[in-house]
Amino acid sequence: MIRIEREAWDKMVAHAQDTYPNECCGAMLGMIDGERKNVSVAIELDNAFDGGQEERYELRPEDLLQADREARRQGMDLIGIFHSHPDCDAYFSETDLKNSCPWYSFVVLSVKRGAFDHANSFLPNAEQTAAEKEEFEHPS
Ligand SMILES: [Zn+2]
């Protein structure tokens, strides 16, 4: 299961709403204790997709590498990646699956008419053929 602390959560929601009507993306940092992941820091990253950003996001590998370094510097791990779905539900799309990595949690935030609506977290499999919903806890 994944749990997101208040400060990180507020930052993720604000980033998703500020970026609307485009998709936002970012990194989630924290500690992993067995099956429990606790996210205490969120880092906003640039959507580097060269095209319609209402429907897609792309992370620069170097941005992700830097987030990973920042996690280690703070004695934490890079737990996952978040992105938003403007005017769309928080599901895991085919594109999301294609761009996924099995060792991260993927949080999707649904933003409707500019306001946060709901969110889900997903765990993609190694074959990138399916992603199961992860037990997910976040402040309201
Ligand atoms: Zn998506």
Side-chain angles (χ1 to χ4, degrees), residues 71-87:
R72 271 156 229 290
R73 197 184 64 79
Q74 297 192 41
M76 296 189 282
D77 279 311
L78 175 56
I79 290 180
I81 291 158
F82 69 93
H83 75 282
S84 63
H85 280 180
D87 292 322

mmCIF file with all atom_site columns, all heavy atoms in Angstrom, residues 71-87:
data_model
loop_
_atom_site.group_PDB
_atom_site.id
_atom_site.type_symbol
_atom_site.label_atom_id
_atom_site.label_alt_id
_atom_site.label_comp_id
_atom_site.label_asym_id
_atom_site.label_entity_id
_atom_site.label_seq_id
_atom_site.pdbx_PDB_ins_code
_atom_site.Cartn_x
_atom_site.Cartn_y
_atom_site.Cartn_z
_atom_site.occupancy
_atom_site.B_iso_or_equiv
_atom_site.pdbx_formal_charge
_atom_site.auth_seq_id
_atom_site.auth_comp_id
_atom_site.auth_asym_id
_atom_site.auth_atom_id
_atom_site.pdbx_PDB_model_num
ATOM 1   N N   . ALA A 1 71 ? 16.367  12.033 -3.612  1.00 0.00 ? 71 ALA A N   1
ATOM 2   C CA  . ALA A 1 71 ? 15.820  11.092 -2.630  1.00 0.00 ? 71 ALA A CA  1
ATOM 3   C C   . ALA A 1 71 ? 16.954  10.520 -1.780  1.00 0.00 ? 71 ALA A C   1
ATOM 4   O O   . ALA A 1 71 ? 16.893  10.523 -0.548  1.00 0.00 ? 71 ALA A O   1
ATOM 5   C CB  . ALA A 1 71 ? 15.059  9.968  -3.331  1.00 0.00 ? 71 ALA A CB  1
ATOM 6   N N   . ARG A 1 72 ? 17.996  10.044 -2.444  1.00 0.00 ? 72 ARG A N   1
ATOM 7   C CA  . ARG A 1 72 ? 19.120  9.443  -1.724  1.00 0.00 ? 72 ARG A CA  1
ATOM 8   C C   . ARG A 1 72 ? 19.815  10.435 -0.812  1.00 0.00 ? 72 ARG A C   1
ATOM 9   O O   . ARG A 1 72 ? 20.236  10.099 0.292   1.00 0.00 ? 72 ARG A O   1
ATOM 10  C CB  . ARG A 1 72 ? 20.117  8.833  -2.716  1.00 0.00 ? 72 ARG A CB  1
ATOM 11  C CG  . ARG A 1 72 ? 19.750  7.407  -3.021  1.00 0.00 ? 72 ARG A CG  1
ATOM 12  C CD  . ARG A 1 72 ? 20.251  6.901  -4.334  1.00 0.00 ? 72 ARG A CD  1
ATOM 13  N NE  . ARG A 1 72 ? 19.159  6.248  -5.053  1.00 0.00 ? 72 ARG A NE  1
ATOM 14  C CZ  . ARG A 1 72 ? 18.623  5.086  -4.697  1.00 0.00 ? 72 ARG A CZ  1
ATOM 15  N NH1 . ARG A 1 72 ? 19.042  4.448  -3.638  1.00 0.00 ? 72 ARG A NH1 1
ATOM 16  N NH2 . ARG A 1 72 ? 17.636  4.564  -5.388  1.00 0.00 ? 72 ARG A NH2 1
ATOM 17  N N   . ARG A 1 73 ? 19.902  11.685 -1.293  1.00 0.00 ? 73 ARG A N   1
ATOM 18  C CA  . ARG A 1 73 ? 20.536  12.736 -0.490  1.00 0.00 ? 73 ARG A CA  1
ATOM 19  C C   . ARG A 1 73 ? 19.772  12.923 0.832   1.00 0.00 ? 73 ARG A C   1
ATOM 20  O O   . ARG A 1 73 ? 20.352  13.223 1.863   1.00 0.00 ? 73 ARG A O   1
ATOM 21  C CB  . ARG A 1 73 ? 20.560  14.047 -1.287  1.00 0.00 ? 73 ARG A CB  1
ATOM 22  C CG  . ARG A 1 73 ? 21.522  15.099 -0.768  1.00 0.00 ? 73 ARG A CG  1
ATOM 23  C CD  . ARG A 1 73 ? 21.420  16.394 -1.561  1.00 0.00 ? 73 ARG A CD  1
ATOM 24  N NE  . ARG A 1 73 ? 20.109  17.034 -1.439  1.00 0.00 ? 73 ARG A NE  1
ATOM 25  C CZ  . ARG A 1 73 ? 19.715  17.754 -0.394  1.00 0.00 ? 73 ARG A CZ  1
ATOM 26  N NH1 . ARG A 1 73 ? 20.516  17.968 0.611   1.00 0.00 ? 73 ARG A NH1 1
ATOM 27  N NH2 . ARG A 1 73 ? 18.501  18.289 -0.367  1.00 0.00 ? 73 ARG A NH2 1
ATOM 28  N N   . GLN A 1 74 ? 18.453  12.735 0.763   1.00 0.00 ? 74 GLN A N   1
ATOM 29  C CA  . GLN A 1 74 ? 17.616  12.905 1.961   1.00 0.00 ? 74 GLN A CA  1
ATOM 30  C C   . GLN A 1 74 ? 17.380  11.577 2.694   1.00 0.00 ? 74 GLN A C   1
ATOM 31  O O   . GLN A 1 74 ? 16.522  11.493 3.569   1.00 0.00 ? 74 GLN A O   1
ATOM 32  C CB  . GLN A 1 74 ? 16.261  13.517 1.578   1.00 0.00 ? 74 GLN A CB  1
ATOM 33  C CG  . GLN A 1 74 ? 16.376  14.911 0.988   1.00 0.00 ? 74 GLN A CG  1
ATOM 34  C CD  . GLN A 1 74 ? 15.021  15.610 0.900   1.00 0.00 ? 74 GLN A CD  1
ATOM 35  O OE1 . GLN A 1 74 ? 14.198  15.517 1.805   1.00 0.00 ? 74 GLN A OE1 1
ATOM 36  N NE2 . GLN A 1 74 ? 14.780  16.307 -0.198  1.00 0.00 ? 74 GLN A NE2 1
ATOM 37  N N   . GLY A 1 75 ? 18.131  10.538 2.294   1.00 0.00 ? 75 GLY A N   1
ATOM 38  C CA  . GLY A 1 75 ? 17.986  9.232  2.940   1.00 0.00 ? 75 GLY A CA  1
ATOM 39  C C   . GLY A 1 75 ? 16.672  8.542  2.614   1.00 0.00 ? 75 GLY A C   1
ATOM 40  O O   . GLY A 1 75 ? 16.159  7.756  3.404   1.00 0.00 ? 75 GLY A O   1
ATOM 41  N N   . MET A 1 76 ? 16.132  8.859  1.433   1.00 0.00 ? 76 MET A N   1
ATOM 42  C CA  . MET A 1 76 ? 14.845  8.266  1.028   1.00 0.00 ? 76 MET A CA  1
ATOM 43  C C   . MET A 1 76 ? 15.002  7.536  -0.306  1.00 0.00 ? 76 MET A C   1
ATOM 44  O O   . MET A 1 76 ? 16.084  7.471  -0.857  1.00 0.00 ? 76 MET A O   1
ATOM 45  C CB  . MET A 1 76 ? 13.787  9.361  0.901   1.00 0.00 ? 76 MET A CB  1
ATOM 46  C CG  . MET A 1 76 ? 13.480  10.057 2.225   1.00 0.00 ? 76 MET A CG  1
ATOM 47  S SD  . MET A 1 76 ? 12.061  11.155 2.132   1.00 0.00 ? 76 MET A SD  1
ATOM 48  C CE  . MET A 1 76 ? 12.773  12.563 1.333   1.00 0.00 ? 76 MET A CE  1
ATOM 49  N N   . ASP A 1 77 ? 13.869  7.011  -0.785  1.00 0.00 ? 77 ASP A N   1
ATOM 50  C CA  . ASP A 1 77 ? 13.836  6.356  -2.084  1.00 0.00 ? 77 ASP A CA  1
ATOM 51  C C   . ASP A 1 77 ? 12.888  7.095  -3.014  1.00 0.00 ? 77 ASP A C   1
ATOM 52  O O   . ASP A 1 77 ? 11.951  7.744  -2.555  1.00 0.00 ? 77 ASP A O   1
ATOM 53  C CB  . ASP A 1 77 ? 13.303  4.916  -1.943  1.00 0.00 ? 77 ASP A CB  1
ATOM 54  C CG  . ASP A 1 77 ? 14.382  3.964  -1.481  1.00 0.00 ? 77 ASP A CG  1
ATOM 55  O OD1 . ASP A 1 77 ? 15.475  3.978  -2.074  1.00 0.00 ? 77 ASP A OD1 1
ATOM 56  O OD2 . ASP A 1 77 ? 14.129  3.214  -0.514  1.00 0.00 ? 77 ASP A OD2 1
ATOM 57  N N   . LEU A 1 78 ? 13.120  6.947  -4.308  1.00 0.00 ? 78 LEU A N   1
ATOM 58  C CA  . LEU A 1 78 ? 12.147  7.399  -5.300  1.00 0.00 ? 78 LEU A CA  1
ATOM 59  C C   . LEU A 1 78 ? 11.085  6.301  -5.360  1.00 0.00 ? 78 LEU A C   1
ATOM 60  O O   . LEU A 1 78 ? 11.358  5.195  -5.809  1.00 0.00 ? 78 LEU A O   1
ATOM 61  C CB  . LEU A 1 78 ? 12.829  7.593  -6.658  1.00 0.00 ? 78 LEU A CB  1
ATOM 62  C CG  . LEU A 1 78 ? 11.956  7.957  -7.843  1.00 0.00 ? 78 LEU A CG  1
ATOM 63  C CD1 . LEU A 1 78 ? 11.156  9.221  -7.575  1.00 0.00 ? 78 LEU A CD1 1
ATOM 64  C CD2 . LEU A 1 78 ? 12.808  8.144  -9.090  1.00 0.00 ? 78 LEU A CD2 1
ATOM 65  N N   . ILE A 1 79 ? 9.898   6.606  -4.846  1.00 0.00 ? 79 ILE A N   1
ATOM 66  C CA  . ILE A 1 79 ? 8.856   5.585  -4.704  1.00 0.00 ? 79 ILE A CA  1
ATOM 67  C C   . ILE A 1 79 ? 7.988   5.483  -5.952  1.00 0.00 ? 79 ILE A C   1
ATOM 68  O O   . ILE A 1 79 ? 7.520   4.409  -6.311  1.00 0.00 ? 79 ILE A O   1
ATOM 69  C CB  . ILE A 1 79 ? 7.971   5.895  -3.471  1.00 0.00 ? 79 ILE A CB  1
ATOM 70  C CG1 . ILE A 1 79 ? 8.797   5.663  -2.199  1.00 0.00 ? 79 ILE A CG1 1
ATOM 71  C CG2 . ILE A 1 79 ? 6.709   5.057  -3.470  1.00 0.00 ? 79 ILE A CG2 1
ATOM 72  C CD1 . ILE A 1 79 ? 8.044   5.925  -0.921  1.00 0.00 ? 79 ILE A CD1 1
ATOM 73  N N   . GLY A 1 80 ? 7.773   6.619  -6.589  1.00 0.00 ? 80 GLY A N   1
ATOM 74  C CA  . GLY A 1 80 ? 6.896   6.559  -7.745  1.00 0.00 ? 80 GLY A CA  1
ATOM 75  C C   . GLY A 1 80 ? 6.787   7.874  -8.485  1.00 0.00 ? 80 GLY A C   1
ATOM 76  O O   . GLY A 1 80 ? 7.498   8.841  -8.206  1.00 0.00 ? 80 GLY A O   1
ATOM 77  N N   . ILE A 1 81 ? 5.864   7.859  -9.425  1.00 0.00 ? 81 ILE A N   1
ATOM 78  C CA  . ILE A 1 81 ? 5.655   8.984  -10.324 1.00 0.00 ? 81 ILE A CA  1
ATOM 79  C C   . ILE A 1 81 ? 4.177   9.340  -10.287 1.00 0.00 ? 81 ILE A C   1
ATOM 80  O O   . ILE A 1 81 ? 3.329   8.449  -10.227 1.00 0.00 ? 81 ILE A O   1
ATOM 81  C CB  . ILE A 1 81 ? 6.088   8.584  -11.750 1.00 0.00 ? 81 ILE A CB  1
ATOM 82  C CG1 . ILE A 1 81 ? 7.622   8.428  -11.775 1.00 0.00 ? 81 ILE A CG1 1
ATOM 83  C CG2 . ILE A 1 81 ? 5.614   9.578  -12.789 1.00 0.00 ? 81 ILE A CG2 1
ATOM 84  C CD1 . ILE A 1 81 ? 8.120   7.564  -12.884 1.00 0.00 ? 81 ILE A CD1 1
ATOM 85  N N   . PHE A 1 82 ? 3.890   10.637 -10.275 1.00 0.00 ? 82 PHE A N   1
ATOM 86  C CA  . PHE A 1 82 ? 2.482   11.021 -10.360 1.00 0.00 ? 82 PHE A CA  1
ATOM 87  C C   . PHE A 1 82 ? 2.256   11.837 -11.622 1.00 0.00 ? 82 PHE A C   1
ATOM 88  O O   . PHE A 1 82 ? 3.157   12.485 -12.136 1.00 0.00 ? 82 PHE A O   1
ATOM 89  C CB  . PHE A 1 82 ? 2.023   11.790 -9.104  1.00 0.00 ? 82 PHE A CB  1
ATOM 90  C CG  . PHE A 1 82 ? 2.614   13.169 -8.930  1.00 0.00 ? 82 PHE A CG  1
ATOM 91  C CD1 . PHE A 1 82 ? 1.946   14.291 -9.415  1.00 0.00 ? 82 PHE A CD1 1
ATOM 92  C CD2 . PHE A 1 82 ? 3.816   13.352 -8.265  1.00 0.00 ? 82 PHE A CD2 1
ATOM 93  C CE1 . PHE A 1 82 ? 2.468   15.574 -9.239  1.00 0.00 ? 82 PHE A CE1 1
ATOM 94  C CE2 . PHE A 1 82 ? 4.355   14.629 -8.089  1.00 0.00 ? 82 PHE A CE2 1
ATOM 95  C CZ  . PHE A 1 82 ? 3.683   15.738 -8.573  1.00 0.00 ? 82 PHE A CZ  1
ATOM 96  N N   . HIS A 1 83 ? 1.039   11.773 -12.139 1.00 0.00 ? 83 HIS A N   1
ATOM 97  C CA  . HIS A 1 83 ? 0.645   12.652 -13.234 1.00 0.00 ? 83 HIS A CA  1
ATOM 98  C C   . HIS A 1 83 ? -0.853  12.870 -13.174 1.00 0.00 ? 83 HIS A C   1
ATOM 99  O O   . HIS A 1 83 ? -1.551  12.196 -12.424 1.00 0.00 ? 83 HIS A O   1
ATOM 100 C CB  . HIS A 1 83 ? 1.122   12.118 -14.595 1.00 0.00 ? 83 HIS A CB  1
ATOM 101 C CG  . HIS A 1 83 ? 0.353   10.962 -15.136 1.00 0.00 ? 83 HIS A CG  1
ATOM 102 N ND1 . HIS A 1 83 ? 0.525   9.665  -14.697 1.00 0.00 ? 83 HIS A ND1 1
ATOM 103 C CD2 . HIS A 1 83 ? -0.611  10.895 -16.097 1.00 0.00 ? 83 HIS A CD2 1
ATOM 104 C CE1 . HIS A 1 83 ? -0.280  8.859  -15.366 1.00 0.00 ? 83 HIS A CE1 1
ATOM 105 N NE2 . HIS A 1 83 ? -0.993  9.577  -16.225 1.00 0.00 ? 83 HIS A NE2 1
ATOM 106 N N   . SER A 1 84 ? -1.332  13.839 -13.938 1.00 0.00 ? 84 SER A N   1
ATOM 107 C CA  . SER A 1 84 ? -2.750  14.185 -13.854 1.00 0.00 ? 84 SER A CA  1
ATOM 108 C C   . SER A 1 84 ? -3.476  13.809 -15.140 1.00 0.00 ? 84 SER A C   1
ATOM 109 O O   . SER A 1 84 ? -2.863  13.688 -16.202 1.00 0.00 ? 84 SER A O   1
ATOM 110 C CB  . SER A 1 84 ? -2.906  15.684 -13.587 1.00 0.00 ? 84 SER A CB  1
ATOM 111 O OG  . SER A 1 84 ? -2.370  16.437 -14.659 1.00 0.00 ? 84 SER A OG  1
ATOM 112 N N   . HIS A 1 85 ? -4.787  13.624 -15.016 1.00 0.00 ? 85 HIS A N   1
ATOM 113 C CA  . HIS A 1 85 ? -5.668  13.421 -16.158 1.00 0.00 ? 85 HIS A CA  1
ATOM 114 C C   . HIS A 1 85 ? -6.693  14.552 -16.160 1.00 0.00 ? 85 HIS A C   1
ATOM 115 O O   . HIS A 1 85 ? -7.664  14.505 -15.417 1.00 0.00 ? 85 HIS A O   1
ATOM 116 C CB  . HIS A 1 85 ? -6.382  12.068 -16.066 1.00 0.00 ? 85 HIS A CB  1
ATOM 117 C CG  . HIS A 1 85 ? -5.545  10.912 -16.493 1.00 0.00 ? 85 HIS A CG  1
ATOM 118 N ND1 . HIS A 1 85 ? -6.004  9.614  -16.489 1.00 0.00 ? 85 HIS A ND1 1
ATOM 119 C CD2 . HIS A 1 85 ? -4.267  10.865 -16.964 1.00 0.00 ? 85 HIS A CD2 1
ATOM 120 C CE1 . HIS A 1 85 ? -5.038  8.822  -16.940 1.00 0.00 ? 85 HIS A CE1 1
ATOM 121 N NE2 . HIS A 1 85 ? -3.977  9.541  -17.214 1.00 0.00 ? 85 HIS A NE2 1
ATOM 122 N N   . PRO A 1 86 ? -6.466  15.573 -16.988 1.00 0.00 ? 86 PRO A N   1
ATOM 123 C CA  . PRO A 1 86 ? -7.408  16.704 -17.044 1.00 0.00 ? 86 PRO A CA  1
ATOM 124 C C   . PRO A 1 86 ? -8.744  16.269 -17.669 1.00 0.00 ? 86 PRO A C   1
ATOM 125 O O   . PRO A 1 86 ? -8.758  15.684 -18.749 1.00 0.00 ? 86 PRO A O   1
ATOM 126 C CB  . PRO A 1 86 ? -6.700  17.729 -17.929 1.00 0.00 ? 86 PRO A CB  1
ATOM 127 C CG  . PRO A 1 86 ? -5.260  17.288 -17.994 1.00 0.00 ? 86 PRO A CG  1
ATOM 128 C CD  . PRO A 1 86 ? -5.285  15.805 -17.836 1.00 0.00 ? 86 PRO A CD  1
ATOM 129 N N   . ASP A 1 87 ? -9.830  16.562 -16.969 1.00 0.00 ? 87 ASP A N   1
ATOM 130 C CA  . ASP A 1 87 ? -11.195 16.251 -17.420 1.00 0.00 ? 87 ASP A CA  1
ATOM 131 C C   . ASP A 1 87 ? -11.353 14.783 -17.825 1.00 0.00 ? 87 ASP A C   1
ATOM 132 O O   . ASP A 1 87 ? -11.998 14.455 -18.839 1.00 0.00 ? 87 ASP A O   1
ATOM 133 C CB  . ASP A 1 87 ? -11.598 17.179 -18.579 1.00 0.00 ? 87 ASP A CB  1
ATOM 134 C CG  . ASP A 1 87 ? -11.754 18.609 -18.093 1.00 0.00 ? 87 ASP A CG  1
ATOM 135 O OD1 . ASP A 1 87 ? -12.252 18.805 -16.969 1.00 0.00 ? 87 ASP A OD1 1
ATOM 136 O OD2 . ASP A 1 87 ? -11.337 19.530 -18.817 1.00 0.00 ? 87 ASP A OD2 1
#
